[in-house]
C-alpha cells in the first residue's frame, strides 16, 4: 500500500470551534456568499456571511431563552439541508 500525506492548510487549535471560523469570515468579508439556497424556479438564492450569522445568533438566543444550557445534548433529526447547518451553528453559539 502506498501512503501519501498533505500538510494542513490550517493549524490545529483544540480550543477553536466552527463558530470561530464563522466570526473570522464575518469580520473579514461579511458580504461573502457562504450558501446558496434553491428557489422554486430551479435557481439559487445567495446567503451572505452576515445574513447567515444573523440567523445563527437569533436562533441561538431562542435556544437559550427556551432553556438550552452549555453541556446539554440536542439531537437534530432531518436530512442534510440549510436548516440543519443553521441549527448546528446556533447550538455552538448557545454554548
Amino acid at each position: 500500500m502506498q501512503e501519501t500525506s498533505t500538510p494542513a492548510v490550517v493549524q490545529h487549535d483544540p480550543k477553536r470551534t466552527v463558530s470561530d471560523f464563522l466570526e473570522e469570515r464575518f469580520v473579514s468579508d461579511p458580504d461573502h456568499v457562504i450558501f446558496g439556497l434553491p428557489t422554486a424556479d430551479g435557481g439559487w438564492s445567495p446567503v451572505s456571511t452576515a445574513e447567515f450569522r444573523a440567523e445563527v445568533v437569533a436562533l441561538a438566543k431562542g435556544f437559550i431563552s427556551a432553556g438550552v444550557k452549555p453541556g446539554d445534548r440536542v439531537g437534530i433529526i432531518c436530512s442534510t439541508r440549510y436548516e440543519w447547518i443553521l441549527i448546528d451553528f446556533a447550538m455552538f453559539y448557545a454554548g
Side-chain angles (χ1 to χ4, degrees):
M1 179 188 330
Q2 183 176 357
E3 182 179 325
T4 61
S5 66
T6 304
V9 176
V10 177
Q11 293 299 316
H12 173 69
D13 181 351
K15 295 178 186 162
R16 292 174 51 97
T17 67
V18 295
S19 56
D20 294 322
F21 293 110
L22 179 58
E23 287 300 315
E24 288 172 9
R25 173 60 78 166
F26 174 70
V27 169
S28 69
D29 191 1
D31 297 324
H32 173 79
V33 175
I34 195 167
F35 292 105
L37 300 179
T39 60
D41 64 0
W44 294 93
S45 175
V47 178
S48 72
T49 302
E51 292 168 324
F52 177 69
R53 183 184 177 275
E55 288 183 272
V56 166
V57 169
L59 188 55
K61 288 179 180 180
F63 286 139
I64 292 167
S65 177
V68 175
K69 294 182 178 44
D72 285 355
R73 295 173 190 225
V74 177
I76 303 171
I77 302 173
C78 76
S79 58
T80 303
R81 52 185 294 143
Y82 177 76
E83 291 82 4
W84 184 92
I85 298 166
L86 184 63
I87 292 166
D88 195 33
F89 270 81
M91 283 297 156
F92 271 110
Y93 273 65

